[in-house]
Amino acid sequence: MPNGAEKVLARIRVAKYDMVPWIHSKGVCGLADQGSSDVNFNMSQDLTKSEGNVVTAEAGFAGPREPMVGSDWESTVTLWCTPTRMFVTVEAKDLEKVQLFGNAAAKKTKGRLTVVVGTPEAVKESLPDATLIGR
């Protein structure tokens, strides 16, 4: 279990990353890389301290307008958290071997994988044309 996590929501394996999106009931969401490579990070965001930034969804995504907070790791992995879902984007050359586990769906586009993590309803609402679904 990653530091600060209370519950792991899914698992995302892509390129050199083996990531787990997680939450804590105190209003914190996070993303940790659990891989055996030299990549190791655990980024988190506190939704209770957000400035209430409401971000327009990326093209191809739908869902409610909610406050979002975000962070990134070396400009290749980005985490956006809302009260009802998480968005993870990974920029990588090798997107052929993608595995999702848990409540997650993803879509590949030109060197980028975008993953939505949340309830099945939130995932379907945010990414209705997902090409990969978690199991």
Side-chain angles (χ1 to χ4, degrees):
M1 184 85 60
N3 233 5
E6 189 175 75
K7 181 179 180 181
V8 170
L9 301 176
R11 188 170 184 181
I12 305 163
R13 288 181 173 169
V14 57
K16 61 185 177 183
Y17 304 104
D18 186 358
M19 302 172 289
V20 290
W22 58 267
I23 58 170
H24 192 284
S25 59
K26 291 183 178 178
V28 179
C29 69
L31 181 69
D33 182 72
Q34 303 288 298
S36 58
S37 70
D38 59 344
V39 178
N40 281 310
F41 59 82
N42 186 9
M43 57 181 143
S44 62
Q45 291 292 323
D46 186 340
L47 285 165
T48 66
K49 294 180 181 176
S50 87
E51 296 174 8
N53 297 326
V54 178
V55 178
T56 304
E58 203 176 312
F61 292 85
R65 290 179 51 87
E66 298 180 291
M68 292 179 93
V69 292
S71 60
D72 72 341
W73 184 78
E74 293 190 355
S75 300
T76 58
V77 178
T78 305
L79 169 68
W80 287 99
C81 298
T82 78
T84 63
R85 62 204 81 202
M86 298 167 72
F87 298 89
V88 176
T89 58
V90 179
E91 307 246 351
K93 292 178 184 176
D94 181 21
L95 293 178
E96 295 305 311
K97 296 179 183 177
V98 176
Q99 293 180 302
L100 298 177
F101 304 93
N103 291 330
K107 180 179 177 179
K108 295 181 200 177
T109 55
K110 297 179 187 172
R112 173 191 264 185
L113 178 75
T114 303
V115 183
V116 178
V117 179
T119 64
E121 296 80 18
V123 167
K124 186 174 182 179
E125 180 181 56
S126 295
L127 193 56
D129 58 347
T131 54
L132 300 160
I133 306 293
R135 301 194 194 314

